[in-house]
Amino acid sequence: MEDQEKHYITTEELKTHNKVGDLWISIQGKVYNVTDWVKNHPGGETPLLNLAGQDVTNAFVAFHPGSAWKYLDEFFIGYLKDYQVSQVSKDYRKLVSEFTRAGLYEKKGHGVAISMVVIVVLLFLSVYGILMSDNVWVHLGSGGMMGFVWIQSGWLGHDSGHYQIMSTPEYNRFAQVLTGNCLSGICIAWWKWNHNAHHIACNSLDFDPDLQHMPFFAVSSQFFNSLVSYFYDRTMKFDSFTRFLVSYQHWTFYPVMCLARINLFAQSFMLLLSKRPVRNRWQEILGLLVFWIWFPLLVSYLPNWGERVMFVIASFSVTGIQHVQFCLNHFSSSIYMGPPSGNDWFEKQTTGSLDITCPSWMDWFHGGLQYQVEHHLFPRLPRCHLRKISPFVKELCSKHKLPYTCVSFWEANVLTIGTLRNAALQARDLTNPIPKNLVWEAVNTHG
């Protein structure tokens, strides 16, 4: 009698509700109509739109704490009739539950406090070197230290966007704006919009913005077909100019990374000045104004334009290390076309990400992103726990015969440059066959 009163929805029917104005999702066999709520989603519209009409249980448990479940009831409309769970998903969700019971999501360690102290010390030394010394080498070193300030503030901004690094949501928001907007000149709203899309559609050529760097870079010859970016809502044209730049991308990769910060500045202003809805827009704008007041003012204290340019280039170049890190984690990993799928969440995150080996004393340098596979599977987990959970992830990948790619920093650079070189050679001669991805070849060659 109870089953007769329940409203059942088939997977095929769920798939038809997958667009703006008609958006359904399924979580653990229950179907929710989030059409009117999508615009209020704290993670933005993009993740929900990318996974619309699907079971999104894995993504939901990855990005939401247990307290979020209580908000689902008001959107409930029925049960998924043919709901099934793969063994991989079962094992993944079991790990999430075990880490939750162990309190790992709540134990954040002292990393945030240490990072803040390091940022303050480096910022003080950089400013002191400019104001109190006339030595050009001291000014050059000050520029380098400013770059390390931005790297460490970037890690804090990244962490605060994924989980609450401060004692309250209000303090956490303050930390986001302080480390992102005020200190680094990067709009945290833009970063969250971009980064959430990246996590959901990891290494999708047409849905993941972290692979869409035309006209400068193309990690696959599939970009030569002028793909449509569903994130930026525009065609990534492969014209003669783009072909020329891509043809030499393995040579220009590091120089471009030294100036990649300029693109982040531009993207920040483009979002805030657009008609796109942005939460706390004026707060974000005010934070950027703080940066564009203190940083040019500090640079103006240098004695001449030569040293000012030198300082800016030094600071940008050091920060380029962080931009290189972002690329190493994904450029040479497995790619695919089309929207993300909720049913193979674990598989897509592991095949599309790459870990970098390093001693524990170097964790501060990589900001936790050397454990990219673990971070993508458990994005809310504080970075201080990523090293200790890596054996569990590796064991699960081995159990289900999935790749768990872990290489040295040097090897990651070699793989990335190799991927860019392969695409560059194809850009010069489009008649060449499409080579396999380097990591895919390595995994299948060595098992």
Side-chain angles (χ1 to χ4, degrees):
M1 190 67 177
E2 183 182 349
D3 287 343
Q4 292 178 357
E5 296 175 355
K6 290 182 177 179
H7 179 211
Y8 285 99
I9 298 166
T10 65
T11 298
E12 290 303 314
E13 182 182 356
L14 175 65
K15 289 179 180 179
T16 63
H17 301 275
N18 63 348
K19 55 185 176 296
V20 177
D22 184 15
L23 202 164
W24 293 7
I25 58 173
S26 169
I27 300 174
Q28 285 198 338
K30 293 183 177 182
V31 179
Y32 302 94
N33 183 348
V34 294
T35 302
D36 296 328
W37 181 77
V38 63
K39 59 182 178 297
N40 298 318
H41 183 226
E45 297 181 355
T46 304
L48 285 173
L49 290 172
N50 284 353
L51 292 173
Q54 302 183 56
D55 177 80
V56 300
T57 306
N58 289 339
F60 185 84
V61 299
F63 284 96
H64 300 84
S67 59
W69 289 89
K70 62 185 178 183
Y71 298 106
L72 293 174
D73 291 343
E74 63 177 295
F75 309 112
F76 174 74
I77 57 173
Y79 296 88
L80 196 60
K81 184 176 182 179
D82 44 356
Y83 176 60
Q84 294 180 338
V85 185
S86 69
Q87 190 57 51
V88 180
S89 293
K90 289 179 181 178
D91 289 343
Y92 168 63
R93 296 173 197 177
K94 183 180 178 182
L95 268 187
V96 175
S97 297
E98 290 177 355
F99 294 159
T100 301
R101 285 196 298 269
L104 297 187
Y105 288 101
E106 305 303 322
K107 299 173 183 176
K108 301 179 176 67
H110 303 291
V112 173
I114 294 173
S115 295
M116 287 183 171
V117 170
V118 170
I119 289 173
V120 170
V121 171
L122 289 175
L123 184 60
F124 171 80
L125 291 175
S126 180
V127 174
Y128 185 85
I130 291 177
L131 300 181
M132 305 304 292
S133 175
D134 295 327
N135 190 297
V136 64
W137 294 108
V138 172
H139 294 164
L140 180 63
S142 296
M145 282 187 283
M146 185 62 70
F148 279 112
V149 167
W150 289 338
I151 288 177
Q152 291 304 313
S153 65
W155 298 143
L156 282 185
H158 171 267
D159 291 350
S160 66
H162 276 295
Y163 58 90
Q164 190 174 304
I165 65 173
M166 307 299 283
S167 58
T168 68
E170 292 75 20
Y171 284 138
N172 195 68
R173 171 62 183 167
F174 175 76
Q176 290 176 347
V177 176
L178 177 64
T179 57
N181 300 54
C182 299
L183 198 55
S184 304
I186 309 300
C187 171
I188 195 68
W190 170 82
W191 177 85
K192 292 177 72 174
W193 174 47
N194 180 284
H195 198 63
N196 285 341
H198 160 65
H199 267 268
I200 294 295
C202 178
N203 273 32
S204 166
L205 295 181
D206 47 346
F207 280 81
D208 183 358
D210 277 15
L211 292 187
Q212 298 171 357
H213 300 292
M214 301 273 273
F216 295 101
F217 304 123
V219 298
S220 167
S221 59
Q222 293 184 67
F223 278 113
F224 304 165
N225 297 321
S226 295
L227 300 181
V228 173
S229 167
Y230 288 93
F231 178 79
Y232 292 111
D233 192 25
R234 60 176 172 81
T235 299
M236 297 175 285
K237 293 183 179 180
F238 187 73
D239 51 24
S240 58
F241 176 69
T242 302
R243 180 170 180 168
F244 172 76
L245 292 180
V246 169
S247 295
Y248 298 95
Q249 62 182 0
H250 52 303
W251 294 108
T252 60
F253 175 66
Y254 294 111
V256 170
M257 288 298 103
C258 290
L259 301 175
R261 194 163 198 81
I262 297 174
N263 177 56
L264 303 189
F265 293 155
Q267 293 291 342
S268 296
F269 279 108
M270 286 169 63
L271 174 63
L272 293 178
L273 297 178
S274 71
K275 295 181 180 179
R276 185 179 183 85
V278 178
R279 286 194 172 198
N280 304 305
R281 184 187 298 268
W282 286 106
Q283 192 179 87
E284 297 276 350
I285 293 175
L286 181 61
L288 290 188
L289 289 178
V290 170
F291 172 82
W292 287 107
I293 289 174
W294 76 260
F295 183 64
L297 182 62
L298 179 65
V299 173
S300 70
Y301 277 92
L302 289 165
N304 55 66
W305 278 104
E307 290 197 27
R308 291 167 189 161
V309 171
M310 177 193 69
F311 176 87
V312 171
I313 292 177
S315 61
F316 281 26
S317 298
V318 169
T319 318
I321 298 172
Q322 189 176 59
H323 299 301
V324 169
Q325 168 89 63
F326 295 149
C327 298
L328 298 184
N329 290 138
H330 298 287
F331 269 27
S332 60
S333 295
S334 178
I335 55 177
Y336 68 99
M337 283 285 295
S341 170
N343 292 326
D344 59 358
W345 168 265
F346 187 94
E347 296 90 327
K348 281 292 197 298
Q349 302 300 324
T350 54
T351 58
S353 304
L354 174 150
D355 277 8
I356 295 174
T357 59
C358 74
S360 58
W361 60 269
M362 278 292 287
D363 285 353
W364 67 273
F365 177 78
H366 295 285
L369 295 192
Q370 74 275 26
Y371 290 105
Q372 189 72 190
V373 176
E374 290 76 8
H375 171 62
H376 266 256
L377 291 172
F378 309 96
R380 292 187 300 108
L381 198 68
R383 69 168 110 151
C384 59
H385 301 308
L386 295 178
R387 181 177 287 272
K388 69 179 69 171
I389 71 162
S390 62
F392 298 98
V393 175
K394 188 174 183 179
E395 180 183 356
L396 191 53
C397 288
S398 177
K399 175 182 177 180
H400 295 285
K401 296 180 173 54
L402 293 169
Y404 179 86
T405 309
C406 188
V407 299
S408 69
F409 186 75
W410 170 259
E411 290 172 315
N413 276 272
V414 171
L415 288 171
T416 297
I417 294 300
T419 297
L420 293 174
R421 182 177 182 275
N422 276 354
L425 295 180
Q426 290 177 81
R428 299 177 190 179
D429 182 4
L430 296 181
T431 63
N432 283 342
I434 300 175
K436 292 182 179 179
N437 179 276
L438 287 178
V439 170
W440 179 259
E441 288 182 341
V443 169
N444 284 275
T445 300
H446 304 292

